[in-house]
Amino acid sequence: MSDLVLVLNSGSSSIKYQLLHSDSAEVLASGLVERIGEDSGRIVHEAGPAKLVYDGKIPDHKAGLARAFEMFRETGLDLKTLGIGAVGHRVVHGGEVFWKPTLITDEVLHAIEKLSVLAPLHNPANVVGIESTRELLPDLPQVAVFDTAFFHTMPDAARTYAIDAKIAAAQDIRKYGFHGTSHQYVSEKAAEFLGKPAEDLNQIVFHLGNGASASSIQGGVAIDTTMGMTPLEGLVMGTRPGDLDPGITPYLMRAADLDVSGVEQLLNRNSGLKGLSGVNDFRELQKLIDTGDADAKLAYDVYVHRLRRYLGAYLVQLGTVDAIVFTAGVGENSPAVRADALAGLQNLGIEIDPERNETRTPGIRRISPDFAPVDVLVVPTNEELAIARAAHKLVSA
Ligand code: AMP
């Protein structure tokens, strides 16, 4: 089976895509369809040195994909005749049903759609993306790779919320965790880099992007993570608050007269770094801090405080930690966050070499001194490659 895979990540108004070889990781083309359904949309498509931009109305996901597929043709890549082995779709919520990459049939698609109650902001968009691709490329096998899958192994004590057990069971309320594809990918890469089997390592992974989560991984198996039933729990994120006293929601509904969608809007779009400082982008936040902005500084301090709280929790859970891994936009690019998150922990064997921390090199790197008992690594994540490999493996089996 050809190792060429088209990977799609469909959001409510956008689709990110990449065409790549899953063996060599060589990317032939990538792009982003944006502002689907709005007055004016945009597609930016890159294939080697060629960069095409389309500006115009994109009424729906299918129209956006059809236009993007034309752009593939315009750059000499006809998706129908290239010999693609599979299409891999990122699907956010697999619930209790899916914890492995799964070949998409009508039945599977229906089940993913049913899981929309658990992820109303994500699964419906994933379903639309899958349906559109199946219509446009009907002859290719399509594979769903679930963001929750890696955390399926969490023990009951970690995944159970302490609320009425009958209600929890009836409504499927439990911790599922997200960003699993990234946590799994970077923890495997870290093991490769350290020259040891993942089964022999305990790791704490910080995926710090616009969304952010940490995980506690024991011998290659996830035993806890910060995101919960939804991607709102845990760390402070670009626009999401992370952990919050559950009493705040009913309080706000009464005191600030917010309805359900008002609360959802507040928690998904107007909280986190943005809620505290006005900006959700970490680079913007750093610029504000440099100008002496007190709100931005507080946002940063809350962000780091939360990281350290979970670091402490996971150190205790694991007992012994071999590696602490930073990944995603902030984790890969902010030496300040890495240094502040791990400051003052020399007695626990955790230390950062300031020069290594500041030095940027592509690929994986160790930022702890060679003598430190705990390896601190920066590992670039690559969810597209992980999805491509999972899809290729499934269709080749
Ligand atoms: P992601 O969701 O992984 O794409 O990460 C997005 C986040 O990474 C945004 O908050 C960006 O501001 C942040 N980011 C990207 N590059 C840098 C950088 N050089 N320094 C600090 N933050 C960065």
Side-chain angles (χ1 to χ4, degrees):
M1 181 61 74
S2 156
D3 77 318
L4 197 55
V5 180
L6 176 67
V7 174
L8 295 174
N9 182 354
S10 307
S12 55
S13 64
S14 69
I15 307 168
K16 258 197 339 199
Y17 59 82
Q18 211 174 85
L19 177 69
L20 71 165
H21 283 287
S22 60
D23 286 349
S24 65
E26 184 198 355
V27 176
L28 300 190
S30 62
L32 176 64
V33 184
E34 279 182 293
R35 302 197 294 270
I36 297 170
E38 294 181 23
D39 285 343
S40 137
R42 164 169 283 215
I43 305 175
V44 177
H45 176 87
E46 292 184 62
K51 181 171 174 177
L52 304 184
V53 178
Y54 167 81
D55 281 307
K57 193 165 165 58
I58 304 169
D60 54 30
H61 285 67
K62 189 174 170 193
L65 278 177
R67 187 70 196 84
F69 291 174
E70 271 172 41
M71 291 162 99
F72 271 99
R73 267 193 297 279
E74 286 159 27
T75 51
L77 300 164
D78 185 342
L79 297 182
K80 292 207 166 131
T81 57
L82 265 179
I84 294 175
V87 181
H89 294 272
R90 175 184 185 219
V91 178
V92 167
H93 219 306
E96 288 276 39
V97 190
F98 300 109
W99 62 91
K100 283 188 180 144
T102 305
L103 196 65
I104 299 171
T105 58
D106 291 344
E107 210 179 1
V108 167
L109 191 59
H110 183 62
I112 295 173
E113 198 166 13
K114 263 178 76 181
L115 289 167
S116 291
V117 281
L118 293 176
L121 302 175
H122 297 96
N123 273 37
N126 300 154
V127 168
V128 173
I130 293 170
E131 281 173 343
S132 307
T133 320
R134 288 178 96 204
E135 284 172 34
L136 292 166
L137 301 169
D139 299 328
L140 294 181
Q142 318 251 341
V143 177
V145 178
F146 298 90
D147 233 27
T148 47
F150 183 56
F151 298 114
H152 187 72
T153 48
M154 283 188 295
D156 286 344
R159 68 179 212 164
T160 304
Y161 289 109
I163 59 165
D164 184 307
K166 287 199 194 74
I167 293 182
Q171 306 298 334
D172 294 324
I173 295 173
R174 50 158 285 200
K175 187 186 267 285
Y176 293 95
F178 299 87
H179 288 151
T181 308
S182 175
H183 284 271
Q184 181 171 16
Y185 175 83
V186 299
S187 60
E188 287 172 4
K189 279 278 160 201
E192 233 174 87
F193 179 82
L194 296 171
K196 294 190 181 147
E199 296 75 46
D200 293 352
L201 294 172
N202 288 347
Q203 303 188 42
I204 298 173
V205 174
F206 287 102
H207 174 112
L208 308 178
N210 203 15
S213 60
S215 66
S216 168
I217 304 175
Q218 189 170 51
V221 175
I223 60 166
D224 206 351
T225 190
T226 54
M227 281 182 167
M229 175 182 160
T230 74
L232 279 176
E233 194 182 348
L235 302 179
V236 176
M237 307 177 219
T239 60
R240 290 171 256 167
D243 294 339
L244 202 66
D245 176 349
I248 291 174
T249 302
Y251 170 78
L252 272 177
M253 293 177 85
R254 273 198 306 271
D257 199 21
L258 288 180
D259 60 7
V260 173
S261 64
V263 170
E264 272 183 344
Q265 175 77 11
L266 174 76
L267 299 181
N268 284 292
R269 306 249 175 262
N270 297 326
S271 298
L273 298 176
K274 183 169 178 215
L276 290 173
S277 72
V279 297
N280 63 289
D281 189 292
F282 222 84
R283 283 164 292 198
E284 299 293 316
L285 186 79
Q286 281 170 331
K287 277 190 209 147
L288 284 178
I289 293 172
D290 292 343
T291 65
D293 187 298
D295 293 340
K297 177 69 171 69
L298 176 62
Y300 179 86
D301 290 345
V302 175
Y303 184 94
V304 171
H305 182 86
R306 191 76 54 81
L307 290 184
R308 289 173 66 87
R309 182 187 288 170
Y310 277 107
L311 175 68
Y314 292 170
L315 285 170
V316 171
Q317 272 180 10
L318 292 167
T320 321
V321 174
D322 302 289
I324 296 173
V325 181
F326 289 93
T327 193
V330 178
E332 291 169 32
N333 295 301
S334 174
V337 164
R338 296 190 297 256
D340 291 336
L342 305 187
L345 302 178
Q346 289 86 345
N347 287 347
L348 299 174
I350 299 169
E351 207 170 324
I352 280 186
D353 176 312
E355 202 180 311
R356 287 184 178 179
N357 189 31
E358 293 286 341
T359 309
R360 276 170 201 280
T361 46
I364 304 183
R365 63 192 205 272
R366 180 188 275 106
I367 57 169
S368 47
D370 290 339
F371 59 78
V374 178
D375 284 303
V376 182
L377 307 178
V378 175
V379 181
T381 193
N382 192 338
E383 288 169 279
E384 288 81 8
L385 180 59
I387 292 171
R389 289 192 171 153
H392 176 59
K393 191 169 163 200
L394 182 73
V395 298
S396 306

